[in-house]
Amino acid sequence: MTINVASAFAGDAPAPSCGRLRELDEEIIELLRRRRAMVRELPPPAGPRGIDPSFTGAVRDTIARYSDQLGSGSELVARAILVLCDPGDRDRA
C-alpha cells in the first residue's frame, strides 16, 4: 500500500467525501501499524515508565508535536497513539 498523506491536503485534492475519509482512515491505521511495529523493535524500558526520563521526555515531545500541528484535542490523540504503540506491550498484535 502506498501512502501519500500530503496529497490529501494538496490544493488540487478532490472534494472531501465519505469514501475519501474512509480511505484516509485506512491510511492512518496503516501508518499506526507501521509505527507500532517500529516501536516494538526498540528495547523495552528497563524500569517503570513514570521515572524513566527518556520515556517521559518522548511522551512530552510527542504530545507537544501533535498539539503544535493539530491544535485542541490532539493531546488525547497523541496519548492514545503512545498507548497503542507502547514498546513494553509485546503481547498485543
Side-chain angles (χ1 to χ4, degrees), residues 29-88:
I29 291 166
E30 181 58 30
L31 286 170
L32 288 171
R33 279 188 188 123
R34 289 176 40 202
R35 186 185 196 285
R36 182 173 54 187
M38 290 174 68
V39 167
R40 287 184 174 169
E41 292 176 9
L42 298 172
R49 286 159 181 62
I51 60 172
D52 180 353
S54 63
F55 181 78
T56 55
V59 168
R60 207 173 15 256
D61 292 347
T62 300
I63 291 171
R65 191 168 58 244
Y66 274 71
S67 295
D68 290 347
Q69 297 296 316
L70 298 176
S72 70
S74 59
E75 180 177 348
L76 181 61
V77 172
R79 288 183 183 276
I81 289 169
L82 289 166
V83 168
L84 175 68
C85 299
D86 185 345

